Amino acid sequence: MKISIKTILLVLLSLTMFSLKQDKPTKVIFFGDSITQAGINPGGYITKMKEMLEKQGIKDKYQLIGAGIGGNKVYDLFLRMEDDVLSQKPDVVVIYIGVNDVWHKASWGTGTDADKFGNFYTAIIKKLQSQGIKVICCTPAAIGERIDNSNQQDGDLNHYSNIIRSLSSKFDCPLIDLRKEFLAYNLKNNPTNKEAGILTTDRVHLNDTGNQFVADLMFKAVVK
Amino acid sequence: MKISIKTILLVLLSLTMFSLKQDKPTKVIFFGDSITQAGINPGGYITKMKEMLEKQGIKDKYQLIGAGIGGNKVYDLFLRMEDDVLSQKPDVVVIYIGVNDVWHKASWGTGTDADKFGNFYTAIIKKLQSQGIKVICCTPAAIGERIDNSNQQDGDLNHYSNIIRSLSSKFDCPLIDLRKEFLAYNLKNNPTNKEAGILTTDRVHLNDTGNQFVADLMFKAVVK
Amino acid sequence: MKISIKTILLVLLSLTMFSLKQDKPTKVIFFGDSITQAGINPGGYITKMKEMLEKQGIKDKYQLIGAGIGGNKVYDLFLRMEDDVLSQKPDVVVIYIGVNDVWHKASWGTGTDADKFGNFYTAIIKKLQSQGIKVICCTPAAIGERIDNSNQQDGDLNHYSNIIRSLSSKFDCPLIDLRKEFLAYNLKNNPTNKEAGILTTDRVHLNDTGNQFVADLMFKAVVK
Amino acid sequence: MKISIKTILLVLLSLTMFSLKQDKPTKVIFFGDSITQAGINPGGYITKMKEMLEKQGIKDKYQLIGAGIGGNKVYDLFLRMEDDVLSQKPDVVVIYIGVNDVWHKASWGTGTDADKFGNFYTAIIKKLQSQGIKVICCTPAAIGERIDNSNQQDGDLNHYSNIIRSLSSKFDCPLIDLRKEFLAYNLKNNPTNKEAGILTTDRVHLNDTGNQFVADLMFKAVVK
């Protein structure tokens, strides 16, 4: 068998491209609210994931980027998706939103209607997927850690989580079901039915245990 | 043994008083909101209880009075307790309140804070008991019949029900735990997780099955 | 003219009673929310009124008592009226309430419906007047000091103030129209349409100028 | 002077293009909520404008299109702008939004924060103008017609109207100041301070007089 120069060049080119592709880390953007904004702080869930990557010797394979802004609801993500996500050409986007859509109903009168929550969430998934981006969905973890469904927003959090679960299934996006996981954890670790202090500092934002808990769940979903 | 006329008269008097007391029915006031206001309509839960009393041949032993006003919250009961309850000198008062205290948060911005709900509820129990009236408490049944804790107000209804359970225990009042009973019923009878139509017409107000369901539970608690 | 012993005794008695009455100061209770709770602090409006009394040499003629509790709405006043006001047998009660009844609609979903605001306010006036107590009403001053009616709660504050004005007229209670006075002051002194900093620190609670402004208005109404 | 064939052809072509351009009516889209949705009904403000065009014999010069959907807030317009407006390539878009952004705070807990209202409104103007579309802004007219600034949402409506006024000036868009015009009309025509019935049926939606009033103001702004 004779191997032409052309063939050799093609093989070399392929190897080069493969190696280039290998060299380029998978870019993952965490797209969310204040919980994600705090995720890039020391001890934050994104910071912890970076440390986990380093420990496993694969820190060059993933670029983890936080794109969280305090007070954001689903429509805020939609509004800033172009500037804060698409412009960065990520490979993966983890959508972690919903707490403020529910919470702000009671605290400001400016939550998001359930049907419109679904509409905007759908629009975000569609737009990202149309750019070839892999979308991972998260349910909103908690507003209060009581284990008997007596936190004020439990009903709505469960309802909006159902919407996210349904969309993640419909659009074939992996789901990180934080709400389910948080409740399961609290059922084991919150025997006195406390409002906060188990995985959160203030019923919503993550304490150190909470950040590690989220980091572990995210890691499993994001890193292969 | 000689029996004096005086003794005879005393015995006769006692018998008369006993019989008079027997003749006087136990007066029961149902003190609540629109659900109770509708309770005196044909097919309403109070009307059904009257029919049950008649069927059992004890309709003369109980006087059932509806004192429900649409839109009432716990503090409305407190405000009109003197005029609508105490003035009637009831033997028993069934307090059935809480739906609007929770519901009106979202629909008007005028719900009742949880701590103040407890304060007014306590004040009502204390005042009624100080007049020798037996108090029976009810938890608020439902705002939505979904069985997976995804009705918007489930968290608050559970929280306010916990407050009522705690007060009923503290002040030694029998409890009709409608919230618990409604959920149990729906878990058996609402397999498709509908919002309404099982025990309610509109997520809150009772349909015929609901009125019978409440009547049965009330009957057990009120009638000996 | 002959003066009988009886006449002399009557005159003496009158003088004695007058002097006894003079010795007993007029007891004034300021019944309200956090604004009144802060009124007894150094620099607070009640403290300032005491200093004004002292400066005028009439500090023995008036006993000024603060009965303000943070977060109170009109129904909270009604609930604690017996313990905190009637038990002290005041001569005058200044009712200064309404800010939270409006404000908490947006911030907690637990404001007070306008019609019920009127009902509870009426019940308080009636009860106090039935004990021979003189009632003075105040309109709620401000939630935000913008002068173009663009503070979020302006509409409701105006509406609830109208209710108070109407009740003060109906029950013949002097009115301290703080809302009207605050707006007039701001129209002169807030040319850049600021939200706070003129009479309030935070749109609601009084700064030093605000405390003096309220003290002056109250003084005119309370002290003869 | 000699006129070449080329010149003659050019003139003919110009005339043809001019006449073609004349033949194509100015396409105006009214982009809004239920008020605009009802605007295309018989008697609606858009229908009335069409009749006015016909009466003036210029009905071929303007194509008026209603794009109103009940319950819409500013972010709903942003979400459906591509499908419902841009795809139709209009010449002019009249943005008439804001009532629900304010109103739904109290009735559903799902209004729009003032700053985000401004952000989305800005994004809509920018996108439309980037396509060469002329944008006309409207302030939200009324939620209640009382003339003493005592309608619950007056403060917010004034605040959000200020935001729109400011953006219309910043982006050089003509402004139809419905809020200002409605108040002026009511000051003359609502002497008994009624909540509804002057320009609206129900405090928000237009009665026949209201539809004509809006049609007249729109007409002046849209038709040259």
Side-chain angles (χ1 to χ4, degrees), chain D residues 189-210:
Chain D
N189 296 282
N190 186 8
T192 57
N193 206 25
K194 290 194 290 183
E195 278 204 289
I198 311 301
L199 293 168
T200 74
T201 57
D202 61 353
R203 303 193 308 135
V204 169
H205 297 92
L206 306 173
N207 64 13
D208 190 65
T209 311

Short mmCIF file of all heavy atoms in Angstrom, two decimals, chain D residues 189-210:
data_model
loop_
_atom_site.label_atom_id
_atom_site.label_comp_id
_atom_site.label_asym_id
_atom_site.label_seq_id
_atom_site.Cartn_x
_atom_site.Cartn_y
_atom_site.Cartn_z
N ASN D 189 -64.22 66.58 34.33
CA ASN D 189 -65.45 65.83 34.09
C ASN D 189 -65.82 64.83 35.17
O ASN D 189 -66.76 64.06 35.01
CB ASN D 189 -65.31 65.08 32.75
CG ASN D 189 -65.20 66.03 31.58
OD1 ASN D 189 -66.21 66.59 31.14
ND2 ASN D 189 -63.99 66.26 31.09
N ASN D 190 -65.09 64.81 36.26
CA ASN D 190 -65.36 63.85 37.34
C ASN D 190 -65.46 64.59 38.67
O ASN D 190 -64.70 64.34 39.60
CB ASN D 190 -64.24 62.80 37.38
CG ASN D 190 -64.50 61.68 38.38
OD1 ASN D 190 -65.59 61.59 38.95
ND2 ASN D 190 -63.51 60.85 38.62
N PRO D 191 -66.42 65.49 38.79
CA PRO D 191 -66.48 66.35 39.98
C PRO D 191 -66.76 65.59 41.27
O PRO D 191 -66.41 66.05 42.34
CB PRO D 191 -67.63 67.32 39.65
CG PRO D 191 -68.47 66.60 38.65
CD PRO D 191 -67.52 65.77 37.84
N THR D 192 -67.39 64.39 41.16
CA THR D 192 -67.71 63.68 42.40
C THR D 192 -66.66 62.62 42.72
O THR D 192 -66.87 61.76 43.57
CB THR D 192 -69.09 63.00 42.30
OG1 THR D 192 -69.08 62.12 41.16
CG2 THR D 192 -70.18 64.04 42.12
N ASN D 193 -65.51 62.70 42.04
CA ASN D 193 -64.37 61.85 42.41
C ASN D 193 -64.69 60.37 42.31
O ASN D 193 -64.27 59.56 43.14
CB ASN D 193 -63.91 62.19 43.83
CG ASN D 193 -62.44 61.88 44.05
OD1 ASN D 193 -61.65 61.85 43.12
ND2 ASN D 193 -62.08 61.64 45.29
N LYS D 194 -65.39 60.00 41.24
CA LYS D 194 -65.74 58.58 41.05
C LYS D 194 -64.51 57.76 40.64
O LYS D 194 -63.58 58.27 40.04
CB LYS D 194 -66.82 58.45 39.98
CG LYS D 194 -68.17 58.97 40.44
CD LYS D 194 -69.29 58.51 39.52
CE LYS D 194 -69.21 59.20 38.15
NZ LYS D 194 -70.33 58.80 37.28
N GLU D 195 -64.55 56.48 40.96
CA GLU D 195 -63.44 55.58 40.63
C GLU D 195 -63.44 55.17 39.17
O GLU D 195 -62.40 54.85 38.60
CB GLU D 195 -63.55 54.30 41.46
CG GLU D 195 -63.00 54.41 42.84
CD GLU D 195 -62.62 53.04 43.32
OE1 GLU D 195 -63.55 52.23 43.58
OE2 GLU D 195 -61.42 52.75 43.44
N ALA D 196 -64.62 55.11 38.57
CA ALA D 196 -64.74 54.63 37.19
C ALA D 196 -65.97 55.26 36.56
O ALA D 196 -66.76 55.91 37.24
CB ALA D 196 -64.85 53.11 37.18
N GLY D 197 -66.10 55.07 35.24
CA GLY D 197 -67.31 55.52 34.58
C GLY D 197 -67.14 56.80 33.77
O GLY D 197 -68.07 57.22 33.08
N ILE D 198 -65.98 57.43 33.89
CA ILE D 198 -65.77 58.65 33.11
C ILE D 198 -65.14 58.28 31.76
O ILE D 198 -65.77 58.42 30.73
CB ILE D 198 -64.86 59.65 33.88
CG1 ILE D 198 -65.35 59.82 35.32
CG2 ILE D 198 -64.79 60.98 33.14
CD1 ILE D 198 -66.76 60.32 35.48
N LEU D 199 -63.95 57.76 31.81
CA LEU D 199 -63.28 57.30 30.58
C LEU D 199 -63.10 55.78 30.58
O LEU D 199 -62.72 55.20 29.56
CB LEU D 199 -61.91 57.98 30.43
CG LEU D 199 -61.94 59.50 30.17
CD1 LEU D 199 -60.55 60.11 30.34
CD2 LEU D 199 -62.48 59.79 28.78
N THR D 200 -63.35 55.16 31.73
CA THR D 200 -63.19 53.71 31.84
C THR D 200 -64.49 53.06 32.31
O THR D 200 -65.35 53.72 32.88
CB THR D 200 -62.09 53.33 32.87
OG1 THR D 200 -62.59 53.54 34.20
CG2 THR D 200 -60.83 54.15 32.67
N THR D 201 -64.57 51.76 32.06
CA THR D 201 -65.73 51.01 32.57
C THR D 201 -65.45 50.50 33.98
O THR D 201 -66.35 50.38 34.80
CB THR D 201 -66.01 49.78 31.69
OG1 THR D 201 -64.82 48.98 31.65
CG2 THR D 201 -66.39 50.18 30.29
N ASP D 202 -64.19 50.17 34.23
CA ASP D 202 -63.84 49.40 35.43
C ASP D 202 -62.54 49.93 36.06
O ASP D 202 -61.78 49.18 36.62
CB ASP D 202 -63.63 47.95 35.03
CG ASP D 202 -62.49 47.79 34.02
OD1 ASP D 202 -61.96 48.82 33.54
OD2 ASP D 202 -62.12 46.65 33.72
N ARG D 203 -62.27 51.21 35.91
CA ARG D 203 -61.07 51.86 36.42
C ARG D 203 -59.89 51.72 35.46
O ARG D 203 -58.95 52.50 35.54
CB ARG D 203 -60.64 51.30 37.81
CG ARG D 203 -61.72 51.42 38.87
CD ARG D 203 -61.17 51.15 40.26
NE ARG D 203 -60.44 49.91 40.30
CZ ARG D 203 -59.26 49.74 40.88
NH1 ARG D 203 -58.67 50.75 41.49
NH2 ARG D 203 -58.68 48.58 40.87
N VAL D 204 -59.93 50.74 34.54
CA VAL D 204 -58.79 50.49 33.66
C VAL D 204 -59.18 50.49 32.18
O VAL D 204 -58.57 51.19 31.37
CB VAL D 204 -58.11 49.15 34.02
CG1 VAL D 204 -57.12 48.76 32.95
CG2 VAL D 204 -57.45 49.24 35.39
N HIS D 205 -60.17 49.69 31.84
CA HIS D 205 -60.51 49.50 30.43
C HIS D 205 -61.44 50.60 29.94
O HIS D 205 -62.29 51.09 30.69
CB HIS D 205 -61.12 48.11 30.22
CG HIS D 205 -60.15 47.03 30.55
ND1 HIS D 205 -60.06 46.45 31.81
CD2 HIS D 205 -59.15 46.45 29.82
CE1 HIS D 205 -59.08 45.55 31.82
NE2 HIS D 205 -58.51 45.53 30.62
N LEU D 206 -61.29 50.97 28.67
CA LEU D 206 -61.91 52.17 28.13
C LEU D 206 -63.40 51.97 27.82
O LEU D 206 -63.78 50.96 27.21
CB LEU D 206 -61.17 52.58 26.85
CG LEU D 206 -59.66 52.75 27.01
CD1 LEU D 206 -59.00 52.99 25.66
CD2 LEU D 206 -59.34 53.88 27.98
N ASN D 207 -64.21 52.92 28.23
CA ASN D 207 -65.60 52.96 27.76
C ASN D 207 -65.60 53.69 26.41
O ASN D 207 -64.54 54.02 25.88
CB ASN D 207 -66.52 53.62 28.80
CG ASN D 207 -66.18 55.08 29.05
OD1 ASN D 207 -65.44 55.69 28.28
ND2 ASN D 207 -66.73 55.64 30.11
N ASP D 208 -66.78 53.98 25.89
CA ASP D 208 -66.82 54.56 24.55
C ASP D 208 -66.15 55.93 24.53
O ASP D 208 -65.36 56.24 23.62
CB ASP D 208 -68.27 54.66 24.06
CG ASP D 208 -68.32 55.03 22.59
OD1 ASP D 208 -67.85 54.20 21.78
OD2 ASP D 208 -68.78 56.13 22.26
N THR D 209 -66.42 56.72 25.54
CA THR D 209 -65.77 58.04 25.61
C THR D 209 -64.26 57.89 25.69
O THR D 209 -63.50 58.62 25.04
CB THR D 209 -66.28 58.81 26.86
OG1 THR D 209 -67.70 58.78 26.89
CG2 THR D 209 -65.80 60.25 26.84
N GLY D 210 -63.83 56.93 26.48
CA GLY D 210 -62.39 56.69 26.64
C GLY D 210 -61.74 56.25 25.34
O GLY D 210 -60.64 56.69 25.00
#
